Amino acid sequence: MYKTVVFDLDGTLLDTLEDLYLSVNHALAAYGLPVRSRDEVRLATGNGIVLLIKRSVPADCPDELREKVFKTFKEHYGAHSMDHTAPYAGMPELVAALREAGAHVAVVSNKADFAVQTIIRATFPDAFDCVMGENEAAGIPKKPARPMVDAALAAMGGRSGAVAYVGDSEVDVATAANADCDCVACSWGFRGREALVEAGATIIVDTPSELQRVLMA
């Protein structure tokens, strides 16, 4: 059994896509820009909200306008991040089972830290030993660089034995490799099995119950 498990957030623990999609399109429409499909927003996620907006605005969008779109997105998402967001069925029980068995569990996400803290408090209250969102202003590079994972492990007392990193995207596969963690990839998230295979994932699970068997074996 893994004694330390680090989870991605969007597409792994929580289905956040609808709220992200609505906030992106609210911000785009506010400035008369073309809106994006759910699939376009889904594929633009994974590297934080700055890149989400950069990928969502037109390629020739002036920097000043992109900053306005970003500000409007942050305001709207801050107010509406929990309208449709919910844990994937079985994930709260899985996290609880890991902690009951003595594992340390953490969340490490490229989502803005203010949103990560708010959403985790609402959906997984007191469930994790460490919760970290993007905080490059503090000098911690976001995933797939390893410092966020290292910081989470340090906050939980350091690395002890094999660490499992659980995620749903190519960013998470690379993060696990960079942080010297075993990667368990979830096919139910924002990318799907084919993209995970292409990214180099070797352990892919299709359900939370299968994930629990892998983590607690």
Side-chain angles (χ1 to χ4, degrees), residues 82 113-126 128 131:
M82 289 302 304
D113 189 66
F114 78 89
V116 172
Q117 302 298 335
T118 298
I119 290 172
I120 288 294
R121 281 196 299 269
T123 56
F124 287 85
D126 301 317
F128 291 95
V131 177

Side-chain angles (χ1 to χ4, degrees), residues 7-176:
F7 291 89
D8 172 53
L9 182 66
D10 298 72
T12 302
L13 290 167
L14 297 171
D15 185 354
T16 57
L17 182 57
E18 186 70 10
D19 288 326
L20 288 167
Y21 162 69
L22 292 173
S23 290
V24 166
N25 281 341
H26 171 85
L28 293 171
Y31 298 95
L33 298 174
V35 297
R36 295 294 186 176
S37 70
R38 288 180 90 259
D39 270 352
E40 286 175 321
V41 173
R42 174 177 63 83
L43 294 173
T45 63
N47 293 96
I49 58 175
V50 172
L51 279 178
L52 172 60
I53 296 305
K54 185 174 182 180
R55 292 165 176 169
S56 298
V57 299
D60 60 352
C61 183
D63 291 346
E64 183 178 351
L65 178 54
R66 186 175 70 245
E67 285 300 316
K68 291 179 179 179
V69 174
F70 177 68
K71 181 180 179 182
T72 300
F73 166 82
K74 282 184 66 177
E75 291 171 351
H76 189 271
Y77 191 65
H80 297 279
S81 63
M82 289 302 304
D83 287 0
H84 303 92
T85 288
Y88 289 104
M91 292 305 287
E93 293 80 4
L94 181 154
V95 174
L98 286 169
R99 290 196 80 179
E100 186 176 348
H104 289 125
V105 289
V107 175
V108 171
S109 172
N110 277 343
K111 183 189 287 292
D113 189 66
F114 78 89
V116 172
Q117 302 298 335
T118 298
I119 290 172
I120 288 294
R121 281 196 299 269
T123 56
F124 287 85
D126 301 317
F128 291 95
D129 300 298
C130 178
V131 177
M132 295 186 62
E134 180 273 321
N135 193 10
E136 289 193 300
I140 305 174
K142 64 179 182 292
K143 302 182 301 181
R146 71 177 289 165
M148 288 186 75
V149 175
D150 285 342
L153 296 178
M156 295 188 293
R159 185 184 294 260
S160 178
V163 177
Y165 184 92
V166 181
D168 71 302
S169 74
E170 69 284 351
V171 175
D172 298 312
V173 175
T175 300

Side-chain angles (χ1 to χ4, degrees), residues 195-207:
L196 292 170
V197 171
E198 290 178 359
T202 57
I203 303 174
I204 303 175
V205 295
D206 298 318
T207 65

Side-chain angles (χ1 to χ4, degrees), residues 171-186:
V171 175
D172 298 312
V173 175
T175 300
N178 290 339
D180 193 27
C181 299
D182 293 347
C183 181
V184 185
C186 306

Side-chain angles (χ1 to χ4, degrees), residues 90 93-95 97-98 207-217:
E93 293 80 4
L94 181 154
V95 174
L98 286 169
T207 65
S209 59
E210 185 181 356
L211 173 60
Q212 183 168 337
R213 288 195 297 272
V214 170
L215 296 176
M216 300 186 72

